[in-house]
Structures are given as C-alpha cells and as structure tokens.
C-alpha cells in the first residue's frame, strides 16, 4: 500500500494547488487537483440566477477549457454507469429539470425527486449557504427547460417537445448547443448566482468546503468508523475507488473489492461480523478520505507530468512539490544533460555535465525526500494494474539517473546556432523500443520493452542481452543513415559491454570509451573500422565526381553489405575489396588514396590471419564502425576550420 501512502502525502503537501487550473508546457490544460468528494464534468450550459432565485441568462459552453467543471459527488454518483444516481448539485437535465417529462424526456431516466431530496438535505443542514438555497428554490418551480426554451437554447417540434440535432440540409438557424451535443435533454448544467457585491459559481472554495463538511457528517451517520491502514486512524472506510485516472473517459480502477458474492477469489479473509465465516472481499481497510485524496493526486499528476503510451502510463513524482521543474521525467526528450563536447569526451566529463543539469534538483531536494516511479496498465476495461513501482530517497534517485545519462551515451552531431556541434545523446525508453522493433510495432510490445528497461535505469541492472542482439541486428539490416538507430544501438551496446566488463559500475574508467580507440584489438571492433573505411572511400570518391548530386548520396556498397558482412566478414570483405580498388584508383588525391591503403592494411594486420575468418561478428562491430565514421567526420571538420583560418589570415595580411 506504499503507493497510496505516497500519493496521500503528495496531496497533503499540495493544498495550495487544489482547484486551480494549470497548463502543461505544450499548452494543454492539466486536470485539477480536486477537493475531496469532488470530481470533474464537462458542462454544456451555465444558468445564471439572481439572488431572488429568478432566471437571468444562460451561457452555452463550447470551448473545452470553459466546459471543465469541478462538481461535488457522492460515493455512488462518482462511479455511476447505467444506474441513475444524482450528483449533489450540478447534473444532467433528467436530474435538475422538474419539467423534463413535459419536454419529451424518458420516464425511466427521470430522477428529479431523488436529486431534490438530496439537495434539500444539504442546503437545510448546518453547512448550507445562500447559494444552495437560491438554486433549490429555483429548481422547485420545475421551470428550467421552459426558461431555456424561452432563451432559444434548443429547438422545439410542433408538439412542444425538444428536438434532437437537426440534419445539415434542414433550413433555419441552428442553436449553438447542438454543436457540442445531439440531444439537449442530455445536457449537463451548472449554476451561477449573482449577488449584490459578487457572484458565486462552481469555483467557490466556501461552496466546496460546505459540501465536504456536510458529506462527512452524512457518511458518519450511515457507517461505523474502522481502522484506516494508511493513516492508522479510525475513519469511514470504502471499497469503491474513483475512476478517470488516466483520462476523463477511463473506467478502469486501481482499488476495488466486489467479492461479497460469486466468489471470484476465495481468500483467507473473513468478515469479523459474519458468524458463518463467509469469505469477504476486504483484505485491507482504507478510509474514504485517503482513497479520494490519493486518487485525486494520481489523476492530477498523470495529467500534469505523466508519460502515456497507449493504455500504459508511467509517472515520476516527489511527495513534496518542487519549483525547478514539473517533473523528473526521464521518459521524454529534453530531460537530463544537454551536453555538447568533443567526440572523445570521457566518462568523467559527461558525468560532470549531467550533474550540472541535475544541480537544481539536488539543491532543492532534502535528504529525506522521496521520489516514486509508478507504471500503470489496463488489465481489463475496468481494472488497472501496477506493473512497476519503486520508491527512492531523492539523492539516490538522482545518482541513478546521473549514472544512466553518463554511461548510456553516444556521440552524434547536431546543428546549433547554424553550427555543427558534437552532442552527447542518451536514448529515452520508447526510442530504444522503436529501435528494437521498428516504427510499425504495436503499443503492447513497446510497453513490454519499456518495462524491462526501467530496472536498468533505476536499479542499475544490466541491459538484457536479447535487447542488445536485436539492436545489433536492426543496425546491420538498416540502410538509412539518417535514422537514429545507429546512435541508439551504440549507446545501449556500449553500456552493455562496460557493465559486463566492470565489477564496479560507478567506476570512472570505462573499458569502451567514446571516440575512436585505436588500441582496441577486438576482432569485431576492427572489422567495424574496416567497413567504415570502405564506406568513407566510396562516398568521398562519389562526391569528388558528382558533387552533391543524387549519385554522390546513393547507398555505398559498405552500407549495402552490412548485414552480410556481420555474418561472414572475410568472404564479404573480398567482394567489397574488389569494388574498393576502383574507387581508390579513381580518387583525385593520390596521397590520400595511399594513406587509406596503409591504414586499411594496418587494420587487416591487427585482425591477423587467425581472426580474418567467417565467424560471426559480435555487437562491438557497431562501435568500431560508428566510431571510425565519427572520426572521419571530426577530421574533415577540423581540416575545414584550419583552411578557413588560413584563408582569413591571408586576408588579414593583405
């Protein structure tokens, strides 16, 4: 139950956020942190009354941001489906309109009497307020639909019944309400009351506190208090948890018990009041207040900073709000170090950059603060499962992230301010999944792989070998140089080797460093360098002959034979080498061609006769290939800079 405790603490530490409408960085509205015993609903109409209970006006709500309304709910109405159960104040026409039947409503849906009885209990209690009394007095007249008809909110047929949404080819002006709802009898209504000095609506905190006080008393009269396993206090408990956790249409619940009959699960727990020892669905008791607060916090946090992929949601949050950012969300691009360095950056340099990026969090978080990571997925349409949950001391969590972003990196180039710079790239979990399975994979496979990657990030477990081998294969079979597969595969494979070779994962020295390692004599690494030379020679000569035309950018033989080369390197090299002879002889720079020949022969000598076989290559092949290609890019860039500086010097001398 630690997840409930953590969410409950988060709610208690975020009291200042209750009821406020925030926005995410992308501009979308955040689901509000709700007061207890409240939910949200999209309203279609806002009816305004004066302080004498007279109808003044009606506003048709069309914008999504205007429709969102915080409403008081009962335990039953919060999870209502087909069973008609009234909300205490704002609701659909079948509950609030006394003339619902007169305007064409179905009798089996009509629940006006039940709604009015409940509202009367609230407004006449010690927690009642003038706003409630005015609404109750107005609705007692039973004239809501009549007043709305007079305001021409909807259309009436010849019999005086409300018409459903007209067809497009029908003539006449169509009221605005039909843009958002087909049947006005299904419209959801909220109320505003105008007083002399102010007006009161659904956002009023006194109104919300009024309902909380009344409903608590109402529950305590109906039920005995029991021990809440979260707070350790005696309180009214419940087994009916709220839904709408991932989005407004979400019916799946995290916490429920409905095994009083049918006996889906026959466990050890018995009702202490039941002398017949029939199995009970109650394994734990959680108070309604804790359930409400924890689920409200979860819903708010998911909307505010959750990562969603299909039906799966991942959330990273702290029990105490932080000002340095909306989350420590490592599922989205942009988190972590924005590091720019040379292609040969060391582990220590990268770690320093990452720690600078995390410095704001480290300064604000206390040693005792906790960070939680939870993964949710829909087991069925009505049930949510927790497929991952871990709590960390804040500094330990930051240490784990720092290690991941320092060790699972690869160097690539990025254009910043019109200038190409080396960028230290760390793949996010979904990018790894897409690199493994391809762009057309379904959400279920992506979610499964993300679930396997999480312990590698947060618990420093080694990346599974099958993921490494799938990335190796995808890299070898992928011919698109513009794709990100090479960077993702290199980052993951390099980390896998370093973790495998190292007894202490936090050591500053790594076996496989970033940048080209000419002292690495691993057979697969050397074959990777050899193939990179073939690719560089062919692409350079094509550019010399064709400039930047289509022929210059065509796929090289090295790229085309990459997969076959990884399976049978010696045999495939013979094919590539024969074709390479033509490009070396066609090179218009004789000294450069000779330099390439010497370097290729040096690599072949390093492989040796015993290593120059058709035995399959290991994943280090990728690292050798990519490192050598990055080295060529870096050398070309340095040569251009040197040439530009010489040209500028010549002009200055003039």
């Amino acid at each position: 139950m630690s997840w409930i405790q953590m969410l409950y603490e988060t709610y208690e530490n975020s009291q200042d956020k209750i009821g406020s409408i925030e926005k995410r960085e992308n501009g979308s509205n955040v689901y509000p942190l709700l007061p207890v015993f409240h939910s949200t609903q999209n309203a279609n109409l806002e009816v305004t009354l004066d302080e004498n209970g007279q109808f003044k006006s009606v506003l048709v709500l069309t914008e999504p941001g205007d429709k969102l309304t915080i409403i008081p709910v009962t335990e039953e109405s919060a999870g209502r489906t087909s069973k008609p159960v009234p909300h205490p104040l704002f609701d659909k026409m079948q509950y609030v309109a006394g003339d619902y039947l007169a305007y064409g409503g179905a009798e089996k849906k009509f629940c006006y009497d039940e709604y009015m009885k409940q509202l009367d209990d609230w407004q006449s209690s010690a927690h009642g307020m003038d706003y409630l009394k005015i609404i109750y007095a107005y609705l007692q007249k039973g004239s809501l639909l009549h007043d709305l008809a007079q305001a021409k909110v909807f259309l009436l047929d010849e019999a005086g019944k409300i018409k459903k949404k007209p067809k497009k080819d029908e003539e006449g002006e169509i009221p605005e309400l039909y843009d958002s709802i087909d049947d006005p009898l299904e419209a959801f209504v909220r109320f505003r009351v105008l007083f002399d000095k102010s007006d009161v609506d659904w956002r009023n905190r006194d109104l919300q506190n009024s309902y909380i006080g009344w409903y608590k008393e109402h529950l305590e009269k109906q039920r005995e208090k029991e021990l809440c396993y979260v707070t350790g206090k005696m309180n009214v408990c419940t087994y009916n948890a709220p839904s709408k956790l991932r989005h407004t249409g979400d019916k799946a619940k995290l916490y429920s018990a409905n095994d009083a009959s049918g006996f889906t699960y026959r466990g050890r727990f018995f009702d202490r009041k039941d002398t017949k020892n029939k199995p009970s669905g109650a394994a734990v008791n959680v108070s309604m207040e804790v359930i409400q607060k924890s689920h409200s916090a979860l819903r708010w946090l998911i909307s505010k900073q959750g990562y969603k992929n299909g039906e799966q949601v991942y959330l990273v949050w702290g029990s105490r709000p932080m000002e340095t950012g909306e989350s420590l969300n490592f599922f989205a691009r942009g988190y972590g170090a924005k590091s720019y360095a040379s292609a040969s950056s060391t582990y220590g340099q990268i770690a320093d950059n990452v720690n600078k990026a995390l410095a704001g969090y480290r300064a604000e978080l206390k040693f005792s603060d906790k960070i939680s990571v939870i993964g949710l997925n829909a087991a069925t349409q009505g049930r949510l499962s927790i497929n991952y949950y871990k709590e960390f001391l804040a500094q330990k969590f930051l240490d784990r992230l720092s290690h991941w972003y320092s060790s699972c990196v690869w160097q690539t180039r990025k254009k910043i301010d019109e200038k190409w710079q080396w960028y230290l790239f760390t793949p996010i979990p979904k990018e790894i999944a897409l690199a493994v399975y391809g762009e057309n994979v379904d959400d279920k496979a992506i979610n499964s792989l993300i679930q396997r990657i999480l312990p590698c990030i947060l618990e420093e477990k080694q990346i599974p070998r099958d993921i490494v081998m799938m990335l190796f294969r995808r890299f070898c079979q992928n011919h698109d140089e513009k794709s990100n597969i090479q960077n993702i595969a290199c980052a993951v494979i390099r980390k896998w080797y370093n973790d495998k070779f190292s007894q202490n994962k936090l050591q500053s020295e790594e076996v496989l460093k970033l940048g080209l390692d000419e002292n690495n004599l691993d057979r697969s690494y050397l074959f990777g360098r050899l193939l990179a030379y073939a690719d560089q020679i062919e692409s350079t000569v094509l550019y010399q002959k064709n400039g930047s035309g289509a022929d210059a950018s065509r796929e090289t033989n090295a790229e085309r034979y990459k997969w076959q080369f990884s399976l049978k390197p010696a045999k495939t090299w013979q094919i590539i080498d024969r074709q390479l002879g033509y490009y070396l002889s066609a090179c218009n720079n004789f000294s450069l061609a000779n330099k390439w020949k010497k370097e290729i022969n040096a690599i072949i000598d390093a492989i040796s006769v015993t290593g120059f076989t058709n035995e399959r290559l290991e994943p280090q092949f990728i690292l050798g290939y990519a490192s050598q290609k990055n080295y060529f890019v870096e050398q070309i860039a340095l040569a251009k800079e040197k040439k530009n500086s010489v040209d500028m010097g010549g002009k200055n001398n003039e």
Side-chain angles (χ1 to χ4, degrees), residues 7 17 67 92 103 124 188 204 217 254 274 395 435 468-470 485 493 503 543 571 586 594 627:
L7 289 166
K17 302 291 185 181
K67 288 183 175 183
K92 290 185 174 183
Y103 280 83
S124 61
F188 194 96
N204 187 274
E217 286 186 5
L254 262 177
D274 191 347
Q395 297 300 330
V468 170
M469 296 310 294
M470 284 190 284
I485 291 177
I493 289 170
Q503 293 297 319
Y543 182 80
K571 182 179 179 180
N594 277 338
S627 296

PDB file of all heavy atoms in Angstrom, residues 7 17 67 92 103 124 188 204 217 254 274 395 435 468-470 485 493 503 543 571 586 594 627:
ATOM      1  N   LEU A   7       1.011   8.910  -2.427  1.00  0.00           N
ATOM      2  CA  LEU A   7       0.092   9.832  -3.098  1.00  0.00           C
ATOM      3  C   LEU A   7      -0.683  10.673  -2.088  1.00  0.00           C
ATOM      4  O   LEU A   7      -0.947  11.864  -2.327  1.00  0.00           O
ATOM      5  CB  LEU A   7      -0.875   9.044  -3.987  1.00  0.00           C
ATOM      6  CG  LEU A   7      -0.258   8.434  -5.246  1.00  0.00           C
ATOM      7  CD1 LEU A   7      -1.194   7.403  -5.861  1.00  0.00           C
ATOM      8  CD2 LEU A   7       0.076   9.512  -6.270  1.00  0.00           C
ATOM      9  N   LYS A  17      -2.577  23.909  -4.421  1.00  0.00           N
ATOM     10  CA  LYS A  17      -2.902  23.636  -5.825  1.00  0.00           C
ATOM     11  C   LYS A  17      -4.349  23.202  -6.027  1.00  0.00           C
ATOM     12  O   LYS A  17      -4.805  23.071  -7.169  1.00  0.00           O
ATOM     13  CB  LYS A  17      -1.980  22.532  -6.363  1.00  0.00           C
ATOM     14  CG  LYS A  17      -0.491  22.837  -6.274  1.00  0.00           C
ATOM     15  CD  LYS A  17      -0.086  23.926  -7.224  1.00  0.00           C
ATOM     16  CE  LYS A  17       1.421  24.133  -7.223  1.00  0.00           C
ATOM     17  NZ  LYS A  17       1.831  25.205  -8.133  1.00  0.00           N
ATOM     18  N   LYS A  67     -15.686  24.356 -20.464  1.00  0.00           N
ATOM     19  CA  LYS A  67     -16.619  23.297 -20.055  1.00  0.00           C
ATOM     20  C   LYS A  67     -16.211  22.614 -18.755  1.00  0.00           C
ATOM     21  O   LYS A  67     -17.064  22.179 -17.979  1.00  0.00           O
ATOM     22  CB  LYS A  67     -16.715  22.234 -21.159  1.00  0.00           C
ATOM     23  CG  LYS A  67     -17.450  22.667 -22.403  1.00  0.00           C
ATOM     24  CD  LYS A  67     -17.540  21.505 -23.393  1.00  0.00           C
ATOM     25  CE  LYS A  67     -18.362  21.861 -24.599  1.00  0.00           C
ATOM     26  NZ  LYS A  67     -18.519  20.711 -25.528  1.00  0.00           N
ATOM     27  N   LYS A  92     -27.191  16.434 -15.055  1.00  0.00           N
ATOM     28  CA  LYS A  92     -27.902  16.430 -16.336  1.00  0.00           C
ATOM     29  C   LYS A  92     -29.362  16.842 -16.146  1.00  0.00           C
ATOM     30  O   LYS A  92     -29.885  16.871 -15.029  1.00  0.00           O
ATOM     31  CB  LYS A  92     -27.829  15.042 -16.966  1.00  0.00           C
ATOM     32  CG  LYS A  92     -26.452  14.655 -17.472  1.00  0.00           C
ATOM     33  CD  LYS A  92     -26.527  13.307 -18.192  1.00  0.00           C
ATOM     34  CE  LYS A  92     -25.191  12.964 -18.838  1.00  0.00           C
ATOM     35  NZ  LYS A  92     -25.244  11.703 -19.598  1.00  0.00           N
ATOM     36  N   TYR A 103     -41.167  18.012 -21.648  1.00  0.00           N
ATOM     37  CA  TYR A 103     -40.443  18.391 -22.862  1.00  0.00           C
ATOM     38  C   TYR A 103     -39.867  17.180 -23.607  1.00  0.00           C
ATOM     39  O   TYR A 103     -38.968  17.328 -24.432  1.00  0.00           O
ATOM     40  CB  TYR A 103     -39.334  19.381 -22.523  1.00  0.00           C
ATOM     41  CG  TYR A 103     -39.857  20.794 -22.362  1.00  0.00           C
ATOM     42  CD1 TYR A 103     -40.419  21.209 -21.163  1.00  0.00           C
ATOM     43  CD2 TYR A 103     -39.818  21.697 -23.422  1.00  0.00           C
ATOM     44  CE1 TYR A 103     -40.918  22.494 -21.008  1.00  0.00           C
ATOM     45  CE2 TYR A 103     -40.302  22.982 -23.280  1.00  0.00           C
ATOM     46  CZ  TYR A 103     -40.862  23.379 -22.079  1.00  0.00           C
ATOM     47  OH  TYR A 103     -41.361  24.659 -21.949  1.00  0.00           O
ATOM     48  N   SER A 124     -30.402  22.568   3.728  1.00  0.00           N
ATOM     49  CA  SER A 124     -31.081  22.835   5.001  1.00  0.00           C
ATOM     50  C   SER A 124     -30.242  22.450   6.216  1.00  0.00           C
ATOM     51  O   SER A 124     -30.677  22.642   7.351  1.00  0.00           O
ATOM     52  CB  SER A 124     -32.413  22.081   5.039  1.00  0.00           C
ATOM     53  OG  SER A 124     -32.190  20.672   4.950  1.00  0.00           O
ATOM     54  N   PHE A 188     -25.516  18.816 -19.635  1.00  0.00           N
ATOM     55  CA  PHE A 188     -25.092  18.930 -18.240  1.00  0.00           C
ATOM     56  C   PHE A 188     -25.133  20.403 -17.858  1.00  0.00           C
ATOM     57  O   PHE A 188     -24.622  21.262 -18.581  1.00  0.00           O
ATOM     58  CB  PHE A 188     -23.678  18.376 -18.063  1.00  0.00           C
ATOM     59  CG  PHE A 188     -23.282  18.138 -16.629  1.00  0.00           C
ATOM     60  CD1 PHE A 188     -23.417  16.884 -16.063  1.00  0.00           C
ATOM     61  CD2 PHE A 188     -22.782  19.173 -15.848  1.00  0.00           C
ATOM     62  CE1 PHE A 188     -23.053  16.660 -14.740  1.00  0.00           C
ATOM     63  CE2 PHE A 188     -22.428  18.957 -14.528  1.00  0.00           C
ATOM     64  CZ  PHE A 188     -22.564  17.690 -13.971  1.00  0.00           C
ATOM     65  N   ASN A 204     -16.036  28.374  -6.252  1.00  0.00           N
ATOM     66  CA  ASN A 204     -16.031  28.958  -4.918  1.00  0.00           C
ATOM     67  C   ASN A 204     -15.568  27.939  -3.867  1.00  0.00           C
ATOM     68  O   ASN A 204     -16.161  26.880  -3.713  1.00  0.00           O
ATOM     69  CB  ASN A 204     -17.436  29.468  -4.579  1.00  0.00           C
ATOM     70  CG  ASN A 204     -17.478  30.240  -3.293  1.00  0.00           C
ATOM     71  OD1 ASN A 204     -17.623  29.660  -2.224  1.00  0.00           O
ATOM     72  ND2 ASN A 204     -17.366  31.552  -3.399  1.00  0.00           N
ATOM     73  N   GLU A 217     -20.332  14.387   7.558  1.00  0.00           N
ATOM     74  CA  GLU A 217     -21.354  14.109   8.570  1.00  0.00           C
ATOM     75  C   GLU A 217     -22.339  13.061   8.076  1.00  0.00           C
ATOM     76  O   GLU A 217     -22.750  12.169   8.826  1.00  0.00           O
ATOM     77  CB  GLU A 217     -22.097  15.389   8.939  1.00  0.00           C
ATOM     78  CG  GLU A 217     -21.301  16.340   9.810  1.00  0.00           C
ATOM     79  CD  GLU A 217     -22.127  17.520  10.271  1.00  0.00           C
ATOM     80  OE1 GLU A 217     -23.353  17.546   9.981  1.00  0.00           O
ATOM     81  OE2 GLU A 217     -21.575  18.429  10.915  1.00  0.00           O
ATOM     82  N   LEU A 254      -8.022   1.215  -9.782  1.00  0.00           N
ATOM     83  CA  LEU A 254      -6.857   0.590  -9.163  1.00  0.00           C
ATOM     84  C   LEU A 254      -7.229  -0.213  -7.932  1.00  0.00           C
ATOM     85  O   LEU A 254      -6.564  -1.174  -7.578  1.00  0.00           O
ATOM     86  CB  LEU A 254      -5.858   1.676  -8.745  1.00  0.00           C
ATOM     87  CG  LEU A 254      -4.698   1.961  -9.690  1.00  0.00           C
ATOM     88  CD1 LEU A 254      -3.861   3.102  -9.145  1.00  0.00           C
ATOM     89  CD2 LEU A 254      -3.829   0.740  -9.895  1.00  0.00           C
ATOM     90  N   ASP A 274     -19.360 -11.602  10.637  1.00  0.00           N
ATOM     91  CA  ASP A 274     -20.086 -12.692   9.983  1.00  0.00           C
ATOM     92  C   ASP A 274     -19.783 -14.007  10.698  1.00  0.00           C
ATOM     93  O   ASP A 274     -18.701 -14.564  10.598  1.00  0.00           O
ATOM     94  CB  ASP A 274     -19.658 -12.765   8.512  1.00  0.00           C
ATOM     95  CG  ASP A 274     -20.583 -13.689   7.724  1.00  0.00           C
ATOM     96  OD1 ASP A 274     -21.346 -14.420   8.357  1.00  0.00           O
ATOM     97  OD2 ASP A 274     -20.512 -13.634   6.486  1.00  0.00           O
ATOM     98  N   GLN A 395      18.151  11.734  -3.308  1.00  0.00           N
ATOM     99  CA  GLN A 395      19.537  11.815  -3.770  1.00  0.00           C
ATOM    100  C   GLN A 395      19.973  10.510  -4.439  1.00  0.00           C
ATOM    101  O   GLN A 395      20.744  10.524  -5.404  1.00  0.00           O
ATOM    102  CB  GLN A 395      20.468  12.162  -2.602  1.00  0.00           C
ATOM    103  CG  GLN A 395      20.193  13.526  -1.977  1.00  0.00           C
ATOM    104  CD  GLN A 395      20.356  14.673  -2.974  1.00  0.00           C
ATOM    105  OE1 GLN A 395      21.151  14.601  -3.902  1.00  0.00           O
ATOM    106  NE2 GLN A 395      19.599  15.744  -2.779  1.00  0.00           N
ATOM    107  N   ALA A 435      13.619   1.345 -31.793  1.00  0.00           N
ATOM    108  CA  ALA A 435      14.833   0.889 -32.486  1.00  0.00           C
ATOM    109  C   ALA A 435      14.895  -0.635 -32.517  1.00  0.00           C
ATOM    110  O   ALA A 435      15.369  -1.224 -33.484  1.00  0.00           O
ATOM    111  CB  ALA A 435      16.064   1.456 -31.802  1.00  0.00           C
ATOM    112  N   VAL A 468      20.096  -6.211 -26.673  1.00  0.00           N
ATOM    113  CA  VAL A 468      21.347  -5.829 -27.335  1.00  0.00           C
ATOM    114  C   VAL A 468      21.461  -6.495 -28.699  1.00  0.00           C
ATOM    115  O   VAL A 468      21.800  -5.852 -29.708  1.00  0.00           O
ATOM    116  CB  VAL A 468      22.549  -6.205 -26.444  1.00  0.00           C
ATOM    117  CG1 VAL A 468      23.859  -6.037 -27.208  1.00  0.00           C
ATOM    118  CG2 VAL A 468      22.558  -5.356 -25.181  1.00  0.00           C
ATOM    119  N   MET A 469      21.150  -7.787 -28.760  1.00  0.00           N
ATOM    120  CA  MET A 469      21.294  -8.515 -30.018  1.00  0.00           C
ATOM    121  C   MET A 469      20.262  -8.068 -31.057  1.00  0.00           C
ATOM    122  O   MET A 469      20.550  -8.037 -32.251  1.00  0.00           O
ATOM    123  CB  MET A 469      21.179 -10.025 -29.766  1.00  0.00           C
ATOM    124  CG  MET A 469      22.283 -10.596 -28.880  1.00  0.00           C
ATOM    125  SD  MET A 469      23.954 -10.131 -29.396  1.00  0.00           S
ATOM    126  CE  MET A 469      24.068 -10.978 -30.985  1.00  0.00           C
ATOM    127  N   MET A 470      19.060  -7.708 -30.604  1.00  0.00           N
ATOM    128  CA  MET A 470      18.050  -7.201 -31.541  1.00  0.00           C
ATOM    129  C   MET A 470      18.464  -5.842 -32.101  1.00  0.00           C
ATOM    130  O   MET A 470      18.257  -5.561 -33.282  1.00  0.00           O
ATOM    131  CB  MET A 470      16.688  -7.116 -30.856  1.00  0.00           C
ATOM    132  CG  MET A 470      15.994  -8.460 -30.690  1.00  0.00           C
ATOM    133  SD  MET A 470      14.271  -8.344 -30.144  1.00  0.00           S
ATOM    134  CE  MET A 470      14.489  -7.968 -28.413  1.00  0.00           C
ATOM    135  N   ILE A 485      18.819   4.848 -35.432  1.00  0.00           N
ATOM    136  CA  ILE A 485      19.112   3.509 -34.925  1.00  0.00           C
ATOM    137  C   ILE A 485      20.576   3.371 -34.540  1.00  0.00           C
ATOM    138  O   ILE A 485      20.912   2.768 -33.515  1.00  0.00           O
ATOM    139  CB  ILE A 485      18.712   2.439 -35.966  1.00  0.00           C
ATOM    140  CG1 ILE A 485      17.191   2.382 -36.102  1.00  0.00           C
ATOM    141  CG2 ILE A 485      19.246   1.068 -35.564  1.00  0.00           C
ATOM    142  CD1 ILE A 485      16.701   1.415 -37.139  1.00  0.00           C
ATOM    143  N   ILE A 493      24.612  -0.618 -26.594  1.00  0.00           N
ATOM    144  CA  ILE A 493      25.606  -1.697 -26.683  1.00  0.00           C
ATOM    145  C   ILE A 493      26.878  -1.324 -25.929  1.00  0.00           C
ATOM    146  O   ILE A 493      27.464  -2.156 -25.224  1.00  0.00           O
ATOM    147  CB  ILE A 493      25.902  -2.020 -28.160  1.00  0.00           C
ATOM    148  CG1 ILE A 493      24.682  -2.716 -28.775  1.00  0.00           C
ATOM    149  CG2 ILE A 493      27.142  -2.893 -28.300  1.00  0.00           C
ATOM    150  CD1 ILE A 493      24.750  -2.885 -30.275  1.00  0.00           C
ATOM    151  N   GLN A 503      33.254  -4.678 -12.621  1.00  0.00           N
ATOM    152  CA  GLN A 503      32.724  -5.163 -11.348  1.00  0.00           C
ATOM    153  C   GLN A 503      32.057  -4.025 -10.588  1.00  0.00           C
ATOM    154  O   GLN A 503      31.090  -4.236  -9.862  1.00  0.00           O
ATOM    155  CB  GLN A 503      33.877  -5.739 -10.498  1.00  0.00           C
ATOM    156  CG  GLN A 503      34.503  -6.988 -11.067  1.00  0.00           C
ATOM    157  CD  GLN A 503      33.526  -8.145 -11.146  1.00  0.00           C
ATOM    158  OE1 GLN A 503      32.742  -8.365 -10.233  1.00  0.00           O
ATOM    159  NE2 GLN A 503      33.569  -8.870 -12.250  1.00  0.00           N
ATOM    160  N   TYR A 543      31.571  11.818 -54.184  1.00  0.00           N
ATOM    161  CA  TYR A 543      31.401  13.263 -54.018  1.00  0.00           C
ATOM    162  C   TYR A 543      32.370  14.029 -54.920  1.00  0.00           C
ATOM    163  O   TYR A 543      32.011  15.061 -55.507  1.00  0.00           O
ATOM    164  CB  TYR A 543      31.631  13.647 -52.550  1.00  0.00           C
ATOM    165  CG  TYR A 543      31.422  15.117 -52.285  1.00  0.00           C
ATOM    166  CD1 TYR A 543      30.146  15.637 -52.120  1.00  0.00           C
ATOM    167  CD2 TYR A 543      32.516  15.986 -52.221  1.00  0.00           C
ATOM    168  CE1 TYR A 543      29.951  16.991 -51.886  1.00  0.00           C
ATOM    169  CE2 TYR A 543      32.336  17.345 -51.996  1.00  0.00           C
ATOM    170  CZ  TYR A 543      31.039  17.839 -51.828  1.00  0.00           C
ATOM    171  OH  TYR A 543      30.841  19.182 -51.611  1.00  0.00           O
ATOM    172  N   LYS A 571      34.553 -13.389 -46.171  1.00  0.00           N
ATOM    173  CA  LYS A 571      34.039 -13.606 -47.522  1.00  0.00           C
ATOM    174  C   LYS A 571      33.473 -12.315 -48.113  1.00  0.00           C
ATOM    175  O   LYS A 571      33.721 -11.988 -49.289  1.00  0.00           O
ATOM    176  CB  LYS A 571      32.967 -14.686 -47.489  1.00  0.00           C
ATOM    177  CG  LYS A 571      32.391 -15.017 -48.849  1.00  0.00           C
ATOM    178  CD  LYS A 571      31.346 -16.122 -48.752  1.00  0.00           C
ATOM    179  CE  LYS A 571      30.748 -16.439 -50.121  1.00  0.00           C
ATOM    180  NZ  LYS A 571      29.718 -17.512 -50.036  1.00  0.00           N
ATOM    181  N   ALA A 586      40.316   5.771 -58.632  1.00  0.00           N
ATOM    182  CA  ALA A 586      39.590   6.937 -59.165  1.00  0.00           C
ATOM    183  C   ALA A 586      39.729   8.166 -58.282  1.00  0.00           C
ATOM    184  O   ALA A 586      39.287   9.256 -58.663  1.00  0.00           O
ATOM    185  CB  ALA A 586      38.107   6.595 -59.334  1.00  0.00           C
ATOM    186  N   ASN A 594      46.786   6.680 -50.989  1.00  0.00           N
ATOM    187  CA  ASN A 594      47.863   5.887 -50.390  1.00  0.00           C
ATOM    188  C   ASN A 594      47.732   5.801 -48.866  1.00  0.00           C
ATOM    189  O   ASN A 594      47.991   4.756 -48.262  1.00  0.00           O
ATOM    190  CB  ASN A 594      49.221   6.486 -50.746  1.00  0.00           C
ATOM    191  CG  ASN A 594      49.691   6.029 -52.121  1.00  0.00           C
ATOM    192  OD1 ASN A 594      49.237   5.000 -52.616  1.00  0.00           O
ATOM    193  ND2 ASN A 594      50.587   6.793 -52.727  1.00  0.00           N
ATOM    194  N   SER A 627      32.392   4.552 -34.539  1.00  0.00           N
ATOM    195  CA  SER A 627      33.495   5.385 -34.022  1.00  0.00           C
ATOM    196  C   SER A 627      34.416   5.845 -35.147  1.00  0.00           C
ATOM    197  O   SER A 627      34.847   7.004 -35.177  1.00  0.00           O
ATOM    198  CB  SER A 627      34.299   4.600 -32.982  1.00  0.00           C
ATOM    199  OG  SER A 627      33.523   4.288 -31.861  1.00  0.00           O
TER     200      SER A 627
END
